[in-house]
Amino acid sequence: MKAVIYARWSSLEQGKGSSLERQMDLCEQFCAEQGWEVIDRLRDEGKSAYTGANLHEGQLAKFTQRVEQRLLRDDTVLVVEQLDRISRLPPGQVIAWIQKVIGHGLTIATANDKLVLDSRKLEVDPIGIVSTVFNAFRAFQESKHKSDRIAESWRIRRKAAESGGKPITSVSPAWLTLDRETGVFHEIPERVEIVRRIFREYDEGFGKRKIASRLNAEGIAPWGRGDSKGDGWHPSYVQKILSNTAVLGEYQPHTRPRGGKREPSGDPIPNYFPAIIDEVSFARANSGRKRLPGGASKGNLSNLFSGLTRCAVCGGKMTYVKKQSAGAKRKNRTGDYTWSVSDDQSYLVCGRAIRHLECGNRNHFNYQKVEAGVVETVNHLVLDDEQFERPDEALEVEQELVALERQLGSRKAKSQRLLELYSETNNADAKRMWLETESSIAEHEQRLAELREQFLTAKGAVSPGEHVRRIRKFVAQINDADTDTRLDARRKTMAAMNAVIDFISFDANRKATVVFMGGAHNIKLSDKGAVEQEFSFLVELSEGDKTVTLDDGIELVIPVKSLRDGLAGDDPVRQSKLDKLVGRDERYRVGVAEIEAEDQKAKGG
């Protein structure tokens, strides 16, 4: 006979050990004893027989299809270590599967007890087959009871943890340690300070790669023990810290169904760990805004456009080239006259062109002039209240606001999972929990609306006119003589531009074009920084649906939604940014009108 050996284990970890080797060796030996030729070896890694996943997907499922399609010889035998390697589903389902494949000519053999099941045995001893399957079913019951006991144990421990009892598990974040006698988590001061530093530097504009490099350069050892200890800090681990809600004191229990993926189990448990980061800092670190590609150098952030510029000819990146620093000495050609450079002499040039690749755009754009023109022109579209200091009295409201926004996101994800479960199973409990979650979402959204109004009041939202004045004052700080003031202003400006500007292109005609949010607003400047052309949809977006009367008198309504979808697509993050862009433009126009009216009134007085 032609033998096909099948091995399965329910976790990838077991596959690394003796499970695969044991199953294969036993089956190979059995086939040799029977004189069967092994023609194939099938393996299902991490497929659970407890859930039946291996019968519906993986190698066994594909093999079953071949049997049903009569693609195998009649003298083929499927050899397994023992019957529960095929399935630990209830007996009725297992018997149905065995009858189906045996009915198509397949023989099944188990190596541990040398049992052979074929069509002849099915005819003469069907009770024996049923008995064999029921014996295997005991393994299913043992697995189920074990799973139920573990689940109940975790439920009890979770309930105790939620009421302030002992922790569910001794596992803790790397910056905490657990006192096993008291069940209390304690901070590791030097590690807590590193976590706070990571959040602080990330908020200041440093990227994950830059933060990791700085930690490595300072010789700060990575966390972990033995093989789990890395060879230094990595950007991926910095990201793991930034996104870990344990810094807020939360613990999210997880479950891993047999053969399934690790998934959240229930809602996070608040106040489980000591909180070391506030809600606002966590929300800002996970807001999805673009990071600055580099850090500060000598108290300055030279290129505000890093990551945004591109060549309009070849599509390559523009390179920032610094040729002279302020104060550098220069001579004329004859060498009889020397002077000091008053300002930095920096340029933007196509990176492909200077490497002599295929690009004809060899223009050098004076960076200082372009920066001045862009910042002066677009500042009102990129700067918002978040770029200015928040009064202390607003902090409490803001903490609750960002915490509620995060909880709302979690509940929406939970609602989606419950809805999918109800759709697939028609389970009444899933429907009830989904409806409860939807009700909770509605309450959260109502509370969020209230908090947003409170926040604007608490932080003393200024009038549009005052907002225009503080933007103008802020822009002046970009080149302030004070190092800290200048660096803070440049970092905030760079982060704000990266949030809403798609790119800045530089063409062969020495023009620079700033493109906001898919073309919602476009500005073309000369290489001297002067605005030559401006095209925008922001006013149309703020005014709502537009009615156009055609030549034949028919009125056509152009919905704003179509325009919005064309600019931002169906990405909710870009839609939100587009809304903010429209709001900033409208606020600025109102503010300028207020200032002009005040000036006219003052002149008239």
Side-chain angles (χ1 to χ4, degrees), residues 540-590:
E540 285 81 358
L541 288 169
S542 67
E543 291 178 346
D545 293 349
K546 186 175 182 180
T547 302
V548 177
T549 303
L550 303 180
D551 294 339
D552 54 6
I554 297 177
E555 291 187 345
L556 180 66
V557 178
I558 303 176
V560 170
K561 186 179 184 305
S562 299
L563 178 58
R564 285 170 50 85
D565 291 345
L567 295 170
D570 57 359
D571 185 344
V573 175
R574 285 184 64 84
Q575 291 278 3
S576 175
K577 289 180 179 179
L578 181 60
D579 288 340
K580 290 182 178 180
L581 195 65
V582 172
R584 289 171 191 158
D585 179 65
E586 185 175 16
R587 185 180 186 185
Y588 182 78
R589 287 186 281 107
V590 172

Side-chain angles (χ1 to χ4, degrees), residues 421-468:
L421 178 62
Y422 173 62
S423 300
E424 293 174 0
T425 65
N426 203 31
N427 183 281
D429 287 337
K431 179 180 180 181
R432 174 182 56 77
M433 294 173 66
W434 171 63
L435 292 174
E436 290 175 355
T437 304
E438 283 292 297
S439 176
S440 175
I441 288 173
E443 294 175 359
H444 273 60
E445 289 178 334
Q446 181 178 352
R447 177 58 180 160
L448 268 177
E450 296 172 356
L451 283 173
R452 288 187 178 114
E453 290 185 7
Q454 291 179 23
F455 182 56
L456 289 175
T457 304
K459 73 174 185 176
V462 297
S463 67
E466 187 60 32
H467 181 62
V468 172

Side-chain angles (χ1 to χ4, degrees), residues 90-109:
Q93 298 181 44
V94 178
I95 292 172
W97 183 85
I98 290 176
Q99 287 177 325
K100 176 174 64 175
V101 295
I102 288 179
H104 285 91
L106 181 70
T107 297
I108 300 175

Side-chain angles (χ1 to χ4, degrees), residues 126-427:
I127 301 300
I129 290 181
V130 171
S131 176
T132 300
V133 172
F134 268 89
N135 286 334
F137 180 60
R138 278 202 291 268
F140 163 80
Q141 291 287 27
E142 291 172 3
S143 294
K144 186 175 187 302
H145 290 157
K146 181 179 178 182
S147 175
D148 291 344
R149 288 195 301 271
I150 292 174
E152 179 63 14
S153 173
W154 272 86
R155 188 191 66 78
I156 294 172
R157 291 159 73 182
R158 177 189 173 107
K159 186 175 181 180
E162 289 175 338
S163 59
K166 288 187 176 182
I168 292 177
T169 173
S170 61
V171 177
S172 63
W175 55 87
L176 300 176
T177 183
L178 175 65
D179 185 328
R180 294 178 180 272
E181 292 185 3
T182 63
V184 176
F185 290 100
H186 296 285
E187 297 179 7
I188 304 174
E190 61 273 19
R191 292 189 173 186
V192 169
E193 179 52 37
I194 291 174
V195 174
R196 289 172 178 162
R197 168 184 169 173
I198 288 172
F199 274 87
R200 183 170 60 250
E201 291 187 355
Y202 192 72
D203 190 48
E204 289 173 352
F206 292 101
K208 297 183 286 289
R209 188 175 301 278
K210 186 69 175 179
I211 293 172
S213 297
R214 286 160 66 95
L215 292 171
N216 289 329
E218 294 175 23
I220 297 175
W223 302 334
R225 296 178 181 176
D227 294 339
S228 66
K229 188 172 184 177
D231 58 346
W233 289 84
H234 292 265
S236 58
Y237 192 67
V238 172
Q239 173 59 43
K240 188 176 180 180
I241 290 175
L242 289 169
S243 60
N244 191 349
T245 57
V247 299
L248 300 172
E250 287 187 357
Y251 172 62
Q252 174 62 71
H254 286 77
T255 58
R256 188 193 297 275
R258 289 175 176 266
K261 297 180 180 180
R262 186 169 180 265
E263 297 177 348
S265 175
D267 294 330
I269 302 175
N271 305 316
Y272 182 87
F273 300 119
I276 62 171
I277 297 294
D278 63 82
E279 286 278 3
V280 175
S281 298
F282 185 83
R284 290 167 69 173
N286 291 274
S287 63
R289 65 181 181 178
K290 295 180 183 177
R291 290 286 102 197
L292 311 189
S297 174
K298 296 183 180 179
N300 200 4
L301 198 60
S302 301
N303 183 10
L304 294 182
F305 307 145
S306 182
L308 290 176
T309 58
R310 66 171 63 168
C311 173
V313 176
C314 69
K317 294 181 179 179
M318 300 293 288
T319 298
Y320 176 83
V321 179
K322 189 172 185 178
K323 292 192 173 182
Q324 293 284 346
S325 298
K329 301 296 183 180
R330 298 191 66 178
K331 294 181 180 181
N332 62 358
R333 292 183 178 180
T334 60
D336 57 358
Y337 179 69
T338 304
W339 75 94
S340 297
V341 177
S342 58
D343 299 309
D344 288 347
Q345 301 294 315
S346 304
Y347 298 88
L348 291 171
V349 59
C350 175
R352 290 176 57 83
I354 61 175
R355 286 184 289 135
H356 301 286
L357 298 177
E358 295 180 359
C359 183
N361 185 10
R362 301 187 180 277
N363 291 321
H364 283 59
F365 294 82
N366 185 298
Y367 175 79
Q368 281 71 30
K369 292 181 179 179
V370 174
E371 178 192 281
V374 170
V375 170
E376 182 66 29
T377 306
V378 310
N379 61 74
H380 67 287
L381 293 176
V382 302
L383 296 174
D384 209 340
D385 294 326
E386 63 186 27
Q387 274 77 39
F388 301 94
E389 291 297 325
R390 295 176 172 86
D392 292 339
E393 59 266 24
L395 183 59
E396 183 177 349
V397 178
E398 187 180 19
Q399 292 278 19
E400 184 181 355
L401 178 63
V402 296
L404 203 60
E405 286 176 336
R406 188 168 54 82
Q407 293 170 15
L408 181 60
S410 298
R411 277 168 169 71
K412 286 184 175 180
K414 179 180 178 181
S415 174
Q416 182 63 32
R417 291 195 300 270
L418 289 170
L419 180 58
E420 291 174 356
L421 178 62
Y422 173 62
S423 300
E424 293 174 0
T425 65
N426 203 31
N427 183 281

Side-chain angles (χ1 to χ4, degrees), residues 61 63-71 97 100-101 104:
F63 179 77
T64 303
Q65 291 178 355
R66 292 167 60 193
V67 172
E68 292 175 336
Q69 294 170 7
R70 296 284 186 177
L71 299 178
W97 183 85
K100 176 174 64 175
V101 295
H104 285 91

Side-chain angles (χ1 to χ4, degrees), residues 431-552:
K431 179 180 180 181
R432 174 182 56 77
M433 294 173 66
W434 171 63
L435 292 174
E436 290 175 355
T437 304
E438 283 292 297
S439 176
S440 175
I441 288 173
E443 294 175 359
H444 273 60
E445 289 178 334
Q446 181 178 352
R447 177 58 180 160
L448 268 177
E450 296 172 356
L451 283 173
R452 288 187 178 114
E453 290 185 7
Q454 291 179 23
F455 182 56
L456 289 175
T457 304
K459 73 174 185 176
V462 297
S463 67
E466 187 60 32
H467 181 62
V468 172
R469 291 189 179 94
R470 70 180 180 182
I471 285 179
R472 292 172 178 173
K473 181 180 178 180
F474 179 83
V475 170
Q477 296 175 352
I478 289 177
N479 295 302
D480 197 275
D482 180 74
T483 300
D484 292 338
T485 301
R486 179 176 65 252
L487 184 56
D488 179 66
R490 294 182 74 82
R491 278 178 175 161
K492 289 180 178 178
T493 301
M494 187 176 183
M497 288 196 299
N498 270 266
V500 292
I501 294 177
D502 286 341
F503 60 86
I504 305 174
S505 68
F506 296 80
D507 61 32
N509 297 320
R510 304 189 65 81
K511 309 297 181 186
T513 303
V514 186
V515 178
F516 289 81
M517 300 298 297
H521 192 80
N522 307 273
I523 303 169
K524 180 172 284 189
L525 304 97
S526 70
D527 59 347
K528 305 297 183 183
V531 176
E532 295 188 347
Q533 188 178 0
E534 193 166 358
F535 181 76
S536 177
F537 290 107
L538 299 181
V539 174
E540 285 81 358
L541 288 169
S542 67
E543 291 178 346
D545 293 349
K546 186 175 182 180
T547 302
V548 177
T549 303
L550 303 180
D551 294 339
D552 54 6

